[in-house]
Amino acid sequence: MEREVCSSSLLKWEPQRAVATLGRYIYTRIIRKIFIRTQFSDFKRSQCLQKAAVLVLLGVFWTQASALDTFVLQEPENDYVTGTMTIHNEKNIAEVHVNAGMYSSDTIFDYSHGYIATRLFSRNACFILKINKDYIPELQEIGRLAFERKTMKTIYSPSKVWVEFQSGHSVWGDIKDWILYGKEIEHLCAGLPLYHPVKIQSPQNVNGCDTAGIPSVLVMKICEKAN
């Protein structure tokens, strides 16, 4: 009886039979077995199964996303809207706009070329960082995380990446740079000084650090190196 109730609920949530079948398979063959073997009370087990089923469905829904997805970005602690993110799946690019007055930023994640570029309005400069899979999620993962945060409406602690640059050590982009970085980053950074920060550990003094990236998903802290 329990299996029939859960299966019918899944079917109601997703009208496409293939997706319902996949969700039911994951539930009955994997998730349910894990929790049945765990020493939970019936009520606690039921709660855990419900949460697990929701996460399964979120993952399935996200894989069916369109070629163009736009997300409203909010601070993790409240409902204050700080910007937007648009994912261009066909271009393998995420475009982020953060509205914070003089501390606003625009960021391009270009996975086709392998670079991230952030324009900080407070410094009137661009900061270009090579994508490293050790600490920069894949494009699909970024979209999935943004989708989860919007749907679940739960407080999350976003991942943080700390990078450091040295003031006065900027360059001006030329045609070879734009071929390397791609058209999207060229449109963002042309005519601005370019810095190439390096990844660091969280510094003790964060007064010289600016915040960019993707609120609630991946925060980038761009810090000026102390002399």
Side-chain angles (χ1 to χ4, degrees):
M1 178 64 67
E2 179 184 0
R3 179 178 299 181
E4 292 178 357
V5 171
C6 292
S7 299
S8 62
S9 299
L10 287 172
L11 286 169
K12 288 181 182 178
W13 290 346
E14 174 52 60
Q16 297 182 15
R17 183 173 300 177
V19 175
T21 302
L22 175 61
R24 185 168 62 251
Y25 175 85
I26 296 175
Y27 170 77
T28 56
R29 296 298 178 88
I30 301 174
I31 298 174
R32 191 167 182 270
K33 287 183 179 180
I34 291 173
F35 285 100
I36 286 175
R37 293 174 182 176
T38 307
Q39 298 302 315
F40 286 144
S41 66
D42 290 341
F43 177 74
K44 187 66 175 179
R45 185 184 299 126
S46 176
Q47 283 186 319
C48 292
L49 286 171
Q50 289 176 8
K51 291 180 180 179
V54 170
L55 290 175
V56 169
L57 288 173
L58 286 176
V60 173
F61 291 159
W62 168 242
T63 60
Q64 295 185 331
S66 63
L68 185 67
D69 301 294
T70 300
F71 301 91
V72 174
L73 303 173
Q74 298 175 319
E75 290 290 351
E77 297 84 6
N78 52 56
D79 291 332
Y80 179 71
V81 175
T82 58
T84 60
M85 175 174 68
T86 301
I87 294 181
H88 304 265
N89 289 296
E90 76 286 355
K91 296 181 180 179
N92 217 18
I93 285 173
E95 183 180 353
V96 184
H97 303 283
V98 176
N99 304 313
M102 67 175 295
Y103 299 105
S104 298
S105 64
D106 290 337
T107 302
I108 296 289
F109 291 77
D110 190 332
Y111 286 84
S112 294
H113 291 84
Y115 287 92
I116 302 169
T118 294
R119 177 182 178 182
L120 291 178
F121 288 83
S122 60
R123 295 185 179 273
N124 196 35
C126 260
F127 300 82
I128 299 178
L129 179 70
K130 191 171 181 62
I131 292 177
N132 188 317
K133 295 181 180 180
D134 291 337
Y135 48 84
I136 303 296
E138 294 284 355
L139 181 62
Q140 186 178 18
E141 178 69 5
I142 286 177
R144 186 188 66 79
L145 291 172
F147 185 76
E148 274 188 12
R149 279 136 176 78
K150 180 181 71 172
T151 306
M152 299 292 285
K153 297 186 182 298
T154 305
I155 295 177
Y156 289 87
S157 296
S159 301
K160 288 185 179 180
V161 176
W162 297 83
V163 297
E164 185 180 66
F165 73 98
Q166 189 166 353
S167 181
H169 286 66
S170 62
V171 298
W172 295 95
D174 58 24
I175 188 170
K176 288 186 290 187
D177 293 315
W178 305 136
I179 291 174
L180 178 64
Y181 301 140
K183 287 290 184 182
E184 300 294 334
I185 292 180
E186 178 184 2
H187 292 159
L188 179 66
C189 298
L192 296 173
L194 307 180
Y195 288 93
H196 297 87
V198 295
K199 187 179 182 300
I200 60 171
Q201 298 298 318
S202 174
Q204 293 182 345
N205 185 0
V206 298
N207 291 332
C209 299
D210 294 280
T211 301
I214 312 170
S216 79
V217 176
L218 178 65
V219 173
M220 294 180 63
K221 293 289 187 177
I222 302 175
C223 308
E224 182 176 353
K225 186 176 182 179
N227 295 325

